[in-house]
């Protein structure tokens, strides 16, 4: 569950089995469903019982692996995936690629989740992509737009 994306159908079937267990597992009686499974899956502070939504739980494990690829590029698996799938960039700029492995496709599903919460490290500032990174909090257009591209290039070279 931590490196493989479980299909939605499998997650829903597992959740059905879990709900059947809680609402009565006798073959003769169906049991009474007092609340919907979606309501029970809500957090306790929202009035639910905090059962896990298995698909979201699976994505959180995949996000953990994606975060490791993003923050530890010098590890063995980080170097392997970087050389195979994003040799010129980072995990956040990676694309799915041609003929990806099932594990890469699974971890790649967590990329949008990681992109929302990943901070941008500046470091020395020499290789910071100012115009192509989402710096602004505007949800419609978070990237910086400039009509003075030549001036920005001159300023970076002269510094």
């Amino acid at each position: 569950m931590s490196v493989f994306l479980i299909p939605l159908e499998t997650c829903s079937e597992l959740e059905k089995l879990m709900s059947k267990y809680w609402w009565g597992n006798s073959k003769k009686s169906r049991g009474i469903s007092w609340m919907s499974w979606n309501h029970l899956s809500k957090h306790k502070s929202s009035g639910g019982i905090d059962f896990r939504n298995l698909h979201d739980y699976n994505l959180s494990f995949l996000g953990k692996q994606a975060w490791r690829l993003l923050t530890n590029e010098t590890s063995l698996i980080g170097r392997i995936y970087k050389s195979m799938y994003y040799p010129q960039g980072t995990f956040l700029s990676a694309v799915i690629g041609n003929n990806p492995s099932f594990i890469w496709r699974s971890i790649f599903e967590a990329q949008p989740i990681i992109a929302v919460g990943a901070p941008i490290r500046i470091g020395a500032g020499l290789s910071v992509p100012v115009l192509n990174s989402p710096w602004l909090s505007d949800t419609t257009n978070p990237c910086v737009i400039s009509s003075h591209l030549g001036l920005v290039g001159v300023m970076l070279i002269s510094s």
Side-chain angles (χ1 to χ4, degrees):
M1 190 170 192
S2 66
V3 293
F4 297 112
L5 181 64
I6 299 173
L8 285 172
E9 297 82 22
T10 306
C11 288
S12 65
E13 289 298 319
L14 288 172
E15 287 175 353
K16 284 179 188 176
L17 289 173
M18 289 167 45
S19 67
K20 282 182 183 178
Y21 173 79
W22 283 103
W23 299 135
N25 54 2
S26 172
K27 292 182 181 178
K28 295 180 181 176
S29 69
R30 291 188 58 209
I32 299 172
S33 299
W34 295 105
M35 287 187 195
S36 70
W37 188 256
N38 289 335
H39 185 72
L40 292 176
S41 298
K42 290 181 184 177
H43 193 269
K44 289 180 182 178
S45 64
S46 301
I49 300 181
D50 204 16
F51 286 133
R52 300 278 188 239
N53 179 335
L54 291 181
H55 181 68
D56 293 343
Y57 199 54
N58 184 220
L59 282 177
S60 69
F61 279 126
L62 293 171
K64 186 175 181 179
Q65 299 302 326
W67 183 255
R68 286 182 181 157
L69 290 176
L70 183 65
T71 59
N72 195 3
E73 289 184 342
T74 58
S75 68
L76 177 62
I77 195 68
R79 290 185 310 206
I80 290 170
Y81 279 124
K82 182 169 178 64
S83 67
M84 290 177 65
Y85 298 111
Y86 50 96
Q88 308 300 345
T90 65
F91 174 75
L92 295 177
S93 63
V95 294
I96 194 70
N98 296 332
N99 197 17
S101 68
F102 184 70
I103 295 175
W104 172 248
R105 279 187 278 148
S106 299
I107 294 174
F108 188 77
E109 286 292 319
Q111 187 188 39
I113 298 168
I114 297 298
V116 169
I120 297 175
R121 289 192 214 164
I122 298 297
L126 298 175
S127 62
V128 177
V130 175
L131 297 177
N132 297 328
S133 297
W135 292 95
L136 308 175
S137 60
D138 185 13
T139 56
T140 58
N141 189 10
C143 296
V144 176
I145 299 172
S146 175
S147 60
H148 303 291
L149 293 177
L151 183 59
V152 172
V154 170
M155 288 173 41
L156 289 177
I157 292 171
S158 65
S159 336

